């Protein structure tokens, strides 16, 4: 029984962290059809922002939940204004530009912080479940992810800002004819996507540590989640992370962590073969 | 609101589509632009709205030269646009489509929508439906209502009768008549439906191959010979 509970927590944690690292990418891709190859580096910058802030005496939770998203969100707006906005509708150019940005950011951070792993120890310690132990922090990450996704749903569904975002996503010219400035909507959206990535990078920093090339470890997982999820930003992210998170954890349990990832990637290939438009391209079409 | 278009040129890439369009619309006037398929009616409205880059000429709205303004700024300056094909947001409810129409209205949008819906009894029963699930006629009414939510002074209407059953066409004529009076709108309507354009317009301009070729009175459209001579549109 205790083992089952521990396993359930592990599976939920895998789902939550997958959703966390993907949701910023999903927002940017879903809203603007921009494939952001620097997504992994936004996660990395979130981790460094949080660690840098804690090292300078700021409370760990504030560093993770406030400093990281604000810093990376601001970087996102800067990147959108100086780079991305010239490339809308040109997918290959955007991919090349964001790839270049990713290399630049890795080089920049290596120059500043060195090519070493820095870490913060996970707060809150552990908790006994029968004969097993689980970290309280992973429960907190699960809870934060749920709160975040629910909040995003409420904003998109019930606020004017969310409505404008959805409308602009469906038909930017018509939105402009009604008086909204699509470039402004895009800048805000890109900033929000980057902020979400910064938050995710900060929340996983205590678990994995941070180093300049850590983005590479996450970007493939984030992309299969977004592509597997399909057009609907939230329900796509939730269903794909639930599916792939479960497959990965179960695979890991019966084999090894490396094989767990291999099995997940294989499952993603099968899924995209069966549903080229992703899960929400076929199901839950009307969802957010 | 007064509109002055002078020697407007526009092209799709290298292919020209407007070859020097000149006309003006006085405040409160309802001007019809009549022309065949492919004569450049939609392109003209897209250029006026800022979606088709202008290669030459000027567009002046009241005193402001808006030739280089982006679409959202023209919209905020008081131009409302009801495009051909209607461009309803398919995955938004009817109510949310109207709320999108209120994007340039500050503060609470509910009273604005309520007052617009007074003129659209048909839409009141459809508020929860998805925009994409409406019939063509209902979508046309919604597109007009959505546009009015932004309180435009100048309305650009692109073929509101296209693909719509005759009963709703009559309803739209009545509606526009009423709105013209009650909201003191200035209107540019492009159409190929003669009865519709004749019923509503104060002045009618003919557009041929990207140029305004002449102006006729709404009354003269009742004479089939003249009509054949002017535009070759069969009745
Ligand atoms: N997106 C486009 N790209 C290239 N040519 C176009 C495009 N849209 C329209 N045209 C051409 O421009 C001309 C005018 O079209 P349009 O303005 O749609 O006419 P109308 O609305 O009077 O039917 C036509 O010859 C049409 O083929
Ligand atoms: Mg047309």
């Amino acid at each position: 029984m205790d083992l089952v509970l521990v396993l359930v927590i592990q599976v939920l944690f895998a789902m939550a962290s997958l959703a966390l690292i993907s949701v910023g990418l999903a927002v940017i891709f879903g809203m603007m059809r921009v494939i952001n190859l620097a997504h992994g580096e936004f996660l990395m910058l979130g981790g460094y922002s949080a660690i840098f802030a804690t090292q300078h005496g700021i409370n760990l939770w504030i560093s993770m939940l406030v400093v990281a998203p604000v810093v990376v969100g601001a970087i996102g707006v800067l990147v959108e204004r100086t780079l991305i906005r010239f490339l809308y509708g040109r997918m290959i150019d955007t991919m090349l530009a964001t790839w270049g940005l990713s290399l630049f950011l890795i080089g920049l951070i290596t120059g500043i912080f060195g090519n070493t792993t820095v870490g913060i120890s996970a707060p809150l310690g552990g908790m006994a479940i029968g004969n097993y132990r689980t970290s309280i922090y992973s429960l907190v990450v699960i809870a934060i992810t749920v709160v975040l996704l629910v909040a995003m749903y409420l904003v998109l569904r019930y606020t004017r800002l969310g409505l404008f975002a959805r409308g602009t996503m469906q038909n930017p010219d018509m939105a402009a004819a009604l008086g909204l400035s699509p470039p402004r909507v895009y800048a805000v959206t890109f900033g929000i996507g980057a902020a979400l990535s910064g938050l995710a990078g900060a929340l996983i920093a205590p678990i994995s540590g941070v180093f300049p090339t850590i983005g590479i470890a996450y970007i493939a997982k984030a992309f299969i989640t977004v592509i597997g999820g399909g057009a609907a930003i939230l329900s796509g992210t939730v269903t794909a992370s639930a599916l792939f998170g479960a497959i990965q954890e179960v695979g890991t349990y019966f084999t090894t962590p490396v094989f767990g990832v291999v099995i997940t990637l294989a499952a993603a290939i099968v899924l995209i073969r069966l549903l080229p438009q992703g899960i929400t391209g076929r199901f839950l079409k009307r969802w957010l | 609101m007064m509109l002055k278009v002078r020697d407007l040129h526009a092209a799709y890439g290298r292919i020209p589509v407007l070859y020097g369009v000149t006309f003006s619309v006085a405040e409160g006037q309802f001007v019809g632009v009549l022309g065949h398929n492919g004569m450049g009616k939609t392109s003209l409205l897209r250029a006026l709205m800022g979606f088709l880059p202008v290669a030459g000429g000027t567009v002046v709205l009241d005193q402001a030269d808006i030739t280089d303004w982006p679409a959202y700024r023209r919209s905020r300056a008081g131009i409302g646009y009801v495009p051909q094909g209607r461009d309803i947001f398919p995955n938004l409810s009817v109510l949310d489509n109207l709320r999108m129409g209120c994007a340039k209205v500050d503060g609470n949008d509910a009273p604005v929508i309520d007052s617009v819906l007074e003129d659209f009894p048909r839409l009141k029963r459809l508020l929860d439906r998805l925009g994409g699930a409406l019939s063509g006629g209902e979508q046309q009414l919604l597109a007009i209502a959505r546009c009015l939510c932004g309180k435009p002074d100048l309305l650009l209407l692109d073929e509101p009768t296209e693909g719509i059953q005759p009963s709703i066409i009559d309803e739209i004529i009545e509606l526009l008549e009423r709105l013209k009076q009650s909201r003191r709108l200035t209107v540019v309507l492009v159409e190929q439906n003669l009865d519709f354009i004749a019923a509503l317009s104060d002045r009618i301009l003919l557009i041929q191959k990207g140029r305004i070729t002449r102006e006729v009175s709404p009354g003269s459209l009742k004479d089939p010979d003249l009509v054949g001579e002017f535009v070759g549109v069969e009745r």
Side-chain angles (χ1 to χ4, degrees), chain A residues 29 91 98 101 106 121 125 148 150 153 157 167 177 179 237 276 279 284:
Chain A
F29 179 68
M91 196 166 267
T98 53
L101 176 68
I106 292 172
S121 50
L148 184 71
V150 169
Y153 174 79
R157 183 75 184 77
T237 303
I279 298 170
L284 309 174

Side-chain angles (χ1 to χ4, degrees), chain B residues 14-45:
Chain B
R14 290 240 184 96
I15 308 161
V17 51
L18 300 179
Y19 299 84
V21 171
T22 300
F23 70 101
S24 47
V25 182
E27 172 128 18
Q29 244 176 12
F30 195 118
V31 172
V33 178
L34 183 64
H36 276 313
N37 253 337
M39 287 301 166
K41 301 184 298 298
T42 297
S43 305
L44 172 60
L45 291 195

Side-chain angles (χ1 to χ4, degrees), chain B residues 116-166:
Chain B
V116 167
L117 282 176
E118 293 295 304
D119 284 311
F120 296 83
R122 246 178 221 271
L123 293 180
K124 280 188 192 166
R125 283 172 277 119
L126 302 172
L127 292 177
D128 293 331
R129 287 250 221 119
L130 283 188
L134 301 190
S135 75
E138 290 163 345
Q139 285 196 349
Q140 189 64 57
L141 292 171
L142 176 56
I144 297 171
R146 180 181 61 182
C147 178
L148 292 176
C149 284
K151 302 180 177 162
D153 300 308
L154 169 65
L155 194 58
L156 306 179
L157 277 175
D158 195 343
E159 293 209 42
T161 64
E162 192 193 34
I164 287 173
Q165 67 262 40

Side-chain angles (χ1 to χ4, degrees), chain A residues 46-187:
Chain A
Y48 273 104
S49 307
I51 288 176
F52 189 79
T54 32
Q55 283 171 351
H56 287 76
I58 296 176
N59 172 285
L60 175 64
W61 295 102
I62 293 179
S63 303
M64 290 196 299
L65 298 178
V66 179
V67 175
V70 167
V71 168
V72 181
I75 294 172
V77 172
L78 188 71
V79 165
E80 198 275 346
R81 288 286 85 191
T82 55
L83 185 69
I84 309 290
R85 73 170 163 137
F86 302 108
L87 305 171
Y88 284 121
R90 287 151 58 186
M91 196 166 267
I92 302 292
D93 301 24
T94 331
M95 287 172 73
L96 287 175
T98 53
W99 186 38
L101 176 68
S102 127
L103 296 176
F104 168 76
L105 290 173
I106 292 172
L108 184 73
I109 294 300
T110 310
I112 298 173
F113 294 99
N115 193 10
T116 50
T117 304
V118 279
I120 6 175
S121 50
L124 304 173
M127 181 178 75
I129 297 179
N131 296 325
Y132 301 90
R133 282 191 76 73
T134 186
S135 96
I136 297 176
Y137 184 67
S138 56
L139 296 177
V140 171
V141 169
I142 295 169
I144 290 176
T145 307
V146 170
V147 169
L148 184 71
L149 292 170
V150 169
M152 286 178 67
Y153 174 79
L154 295 176
V155 167
L156 275 173
R157 183 75 184 77
Y158 292 108
T159 67
R160 262 187 126 193
L161 190 74
L163 174 71
F164 294 163
R166 284 184 289 146
T168 307
M169 177 171 141
Q170 286 178 34
N171 189 338
D173 274 357
M174 198 59 229
L178 296 172
L180 291 173
S181 161
R184 187 174 304 171
V185 175
Y186 292 154

Side-chain angles (χ1 to χ4, degrees), chain A residues 13 21 40-52 54-55 60 64 109 113-123 137 141 197-218:
Chain A
F13 178 73
I21 62 166
E41 283 59 49
F42 284 5
L43 294 169
M44 177 266 285
L45 290 173
Y48 273 104
S49 307
I51 288 176
F52 189 79
T54 32
Q55 283 171 351
L60 175 64
M64 290 196 299
I109 294 300
F113 294 99
N115 193 10
T116 50
T117 304
V118 279
I120 6 175
S121 50
Y137 184 67
V141 169
S197 306
L199 175 68
L203 285 172
I204 50 185
I207 296 161
S208 60
V210 188
F211 44 96
T213 53
I214 193 174
I216 294 165
Y218 292 113

